[in-house]
Amino acid sequence: QQPVQSPQAVILREGEDAVINCSSSKALYSVHWYRQKHGEAPVFLMILLKGGEQKGHDKISASFNEKKQQSSLYLTASQLSYSGTYFCGTERRDSGSARQLTFGSGTQLTVLP
Amino acid sequence: DTAVSQTPKYLVTQMGNDKSIKCEQNLGHDTMYWYKQDSKKFLKIMFSYNNKELIINETVPNRFSPKSPDKAHLNLHINSLELGDSAVYFCASSQNRASEKLFFGSGTQLSVL
């Protein structure tokens, strides 16, 4: 079952902040975040493994609330290069020995000058 | 050098035809994947191979047959193409089956007319 991402799209000005949410109806083992620019391959941003864990990547950070089965991606002081579609990928606790990610439908982020 | 390369980038074909998509990775990774991105942008796993062995086979029609001649290559052959097969197909690789980070190819846009 795919995770649900919100919002579906967001438009901001350079320097503004944004939050993208990802939630699942199933217990999660991990949450992965990827960014895809138009016509390009999705690129790995970060993975969160533990409940409550927060990770940062430049001015992009994320949190994982294991109890609520939710993750949020925080983009601070957005740059033009942040534009793209952001995907969360979730890995369920009942997954087998091979990692199996289920991705959400993505959030299209547009940063304007 | 492109880490994960797919060919062709675009594929337009008639219903009922058979087509193949090729994927190669030069990262020395053990595990490769095929994902399908539908019109709603959901990225859904189809298959995964680890050292040429099939480890994930999601509910995919038998018309789809992956082949891994060696661990650097994972090709996807599709028989009797249907309209509903139109999508973007992404190949990806990871260092091993437990790795956290996926490296995606740039995708193959398949249009079935």
Side-chain angles (χ1 to χ4, degrees):
Chain A
Q1 194 164 4
Q2 292 97 343
V4 177
Q5 285 186 235
S6 63
Q8 287 187 330
V10 58
I11 299 174
L12 21 142
R13 296 272 177 200
E14 217 173 348
E16 291 180 341
D17 302 339
V19 180
I20 300 171
N21 299 303
C22 174
S23 63
S24 172
S25 58
K26 303 280 185 182
L28 298 175
Y29 174 73
S30 65
V31 178
H32 306 228
W33 285 97
Y34 284 78
R35 177 172 63 208
Q36 183 182 23
K37 292 187 183 276
H38 183 69
E40 297 181 10
V43 173
F44 175 83
L45 291 177
M46 66 189 79
I47 178 175
L48 300 108
L49 289 170
K50 296 175 188 174
E53 183 177 29
Q54 293 202 12
K55 277 200 172 181
H57 182 272
D58 194 8
K59 289 183 179 170
I60 300 175
S61 61
S63 63
F64 178 21
N65 186 323
E66 200 174 348
K67 281 185 182 176
K68 290 186 177 179
Q69 293 148 203
Q70 290 176 348
S71 176
S72 294
L73 187 73
Y74 306 95
L75 298 105
T76 308
S78 305
Q79 304 168 17
L80 294 176
S81 62
Y82 287 2
S83 292
T85 302
Y86 290 78
F87 291 95
C88 72
T90 55
E91 189 178 13
R92 285 165 35 185
R93 286 197 173 274
D94 57 349
S95 290
S97 57
R99 285 191 178 270
Q100 192 163 337
L101 288 184
T102 304
F103 287 93
S105 59
T107 295
Q108 190 167 341
L109 182 87
T110 305
V111 181
L112 302 174
Chain B
D1 277 347
T2 305
V4 181
S5 57
Q6 297 179 227
T7 53
K9 190 164 175 65
Y10 300 98
L11 190 52
V12 181
T13 188
Q14 301 284 335
M15 267 176 59
N17 284 349
D18 303 337
K19 289 292 176 187
S20 292
I21 307 172
K22 295 187 176 182
C23 179
E24 176 182 2
Q25 53 95 2
N26 62 7
L27 298 166
H29 287 173
D30 288 343
T31 311
M32 295 185 72
Y33 310 80
W34 277 110
Y35 278 84
K36 178 181 179 181
Q37 187 173 40
D38 62 22
S39 57
K40 294 183 180 178
K41 301 296 182 188
F42 284 112
L43 265 169
K44 190 169 167 53
I45 192 166
M46 300 172 70
F47 302 103
S48 176
Y49 272 72
N50 186 68
N51 274 322
K52 302 193 299 175
E53 179 192 348
L54 181 66
I55 56 172
I56 293 174
N57 184 356
E58 283 296 283
T59 308
V60 175
N62 289 339
R63 300 181 293 103
F64 290 79
S65 52
K67 280 192 173 54
S68 182
D70 55 62
K71 73 175 195 177
H73 294 84
L74 180 61
N75 304 323
L76 183 65
H77 187 75
I78 316 169
N79 288 327
S80 304
L81 278 155
E82 300 178 357
L83 294 176
D85 297 333
S86 295
V88 181
Y89 292 84
F90 285 96
C91 177
S93 72
S94 63
Q95 191 161 3
N96 53 57
R97 62 199 295 168
S99 292
E100 300 165 351
K101 187 173 174 180
L102 296 176
F103 292 78
F104 282 90
S106 56
T108 295
Q109 182 152 359
L110 172 66
S111 299
V112 183
L113 307 176

